[in-house]
Amino acid sequence: MSEPWRRTLQYACANHRIISAINCDQQVNWLHLDLVLKQIPSVQLGAELDQALVAFNRLLKYKSVKQVTLGYFRMLEVRQDGDLSEARIHILLSTLKSYFQGRYYLKCDTWLSLWRKAMDREADNRVTVEVSSINGKSDKCHTIDTMRRGLQQMQQSQQECEASKADERPGGRRWIGYGKLLKQYLDLPRSGDDLDLGSYDMDDPVANRAFEIMLAWYPGIRKAAVR
């Protein structure tokens, strides 16, 4: 198992436990938000990524976002195809329980407008967003089987899930980040073995769905066709 994919699996497992713990303690909603920069020339990639991370922090401070968000996990992924790249900030976002029920709800167009504002590129069609709710529509048996095989692979590599040692990459850029509620739960003492399937609440359909979503993410830069 390659190092980036091992980290993907580690974070997917760690966040499954965090999400199920939060859901047990309080009522929240969960969003999957992708903040996207398309067609980035390779020579501008470093500067664009730095700007995107600053813009992400700015986005969270806007009143309409701040008043509904409780916490987040983010992973920065870059796909390179020749001289162009596409950057995605993948985000698990916990929101108020009432997020979908009234004045707090943000439509996709609103997310897009706010993201472009944060990037200071209101008219740039290369700056896009994708947003969806994380619901309980998942195949529990499939998720259990996937996690079991993943934990076995990590056991074979004899490496523990240590997120704090993996979130810095060459160049000093932080590819992984936790904030607010999710960071609080990340820092709490955990019971059980991270590599033991019995330590995970597989009866939480939202955590199961989030786990499946995160397995498609990749922390860092990879050679792949730009979407």
Side-chain angles (χ1 to χ4, degrees):
M1 183 188 303
S2 69
E3 177 69 11
W5 288 119
R6 183 180 65 81
R7 285 202 303 277
T8 291
L9 184 57
Q10 286 178 334
Y11 284 113
C13 290
N15 288 329
H16 185 287
R17 294 184 67 163
I18 290 172
I19 291 170
S20 60
I22 291 174
N23 288 342
C24 183
D25 291 344
Q26 57 188 284
Q27 292 186 326
V28 302
N29 273 306
W30 294 91
L31 296 180
H32 169 203
L33 177 66
D34 273 6
L35 305 176
V36 187
L37 300 180
K38 296 182 177 181
Q39 298 180 332
I40 305 171
S42 296
V43 294
Q44 299 176 13
L45 181 59
E48 291 285 286
L49 295 182
D50 289 341
Q51 183 181 358
L53 292 178
V54 171
F56 166 73
N57 290 325
R58 185 179 297 126
L59 174 69
L60 294 181
K61 295 177 182 178
Y62 291 148
K63 180 179 178 180
S64 58
V65 175
K66 185 177 181 179
Q67 68 185 357
V68 300
T69 56
L70 303 175
Y72 68 85
F73 167 79
R74 66 159 179 80
M75 178 183 290
L76 176 58
E77 174 180 350
V78 176
R79 294 192 174 194
Q80 289 186 330
D81 184 18
D83 294 331
L84 293 177
S85 298
E86 177 181 284
R88 285 178 175 256
I89 304 178
H90 301 294
I91 306 165
L92 291 176
L93 201 63
S94 59
T95 71
L96 298 174
K97 180 62 177 178
S98 57
Y99 174 75
F100 291 105
Q101 299 174 357
R103 64 187 179 89
Y104 294 120
Y105 178 67
L106 301 177
K107 297 180 180 180
C108 184
D109 286 347
T110 302
W111 280 111
L112 176 59
S113 177
L114 292 172
W115 174 229
R116 288 181 174 176
K117 177 182 177 182
M119 285 291 298
D120 194 22
R121 297 184 187 177
E122 283 85 350
D124 192 341
N125 291 330
R126 297 174 302 167
V127 180
T128 66
V129 300
E130 297 173 11
V131 60
S132 60
S133 63
I134 301 177
N135 51 41
K137 295 180 180 179
S138 64
D139 185 333
K140 178 181 175 181
C141 292
H142 179 266
T143 304
I144 291 175
D145 182 61
T146 301
M147 183 176 287
R148 179 184 293 113
R149 288 186 284 107
L151 294 175
Q152 289 173 348
Q153 288 179 320
M154 287 195 292
Q155 286 174 329
Q156 291 170 0
S157 68
Q158 297 181 345
Q159 297 177 348
E160 297 179 354
C161 296
E162 295 182 42
S164 61
K165 293 184 180 180
D167 58 357
E168 294 292 343
R169 295 290 300 279
R173 183 174 292 107
R174 185 172 291 272
W175 296 80
I176 300 294
Y178 285 89
K180 299 173 66 175
L181 183 62
L182 274 76
K183 188 176 188 303
Q184 294 172 19
Y185 275 76
L186 174 69
D187 294 338
L188 289 177
R190 297 194 301 269
S191 60
D193 183 353
D194 286 345
L195 300 180
D196 179 7
L197 184 64
S199 298
Y200 297 85
D201 181 5
M202 304 309 297
D203 290 325
D204 186 326
V206 174
N208 289 347
R209 179 58 186 148
F211 172 80
E212 294 283 355
I213 290 172
M214 284 182 286
L215 289 181
W217 300 357
Y218 184 97
I221 301 174
R222 61 171 163 165
K223 304 290 184 181
V226 174
R227 291 177 242 186

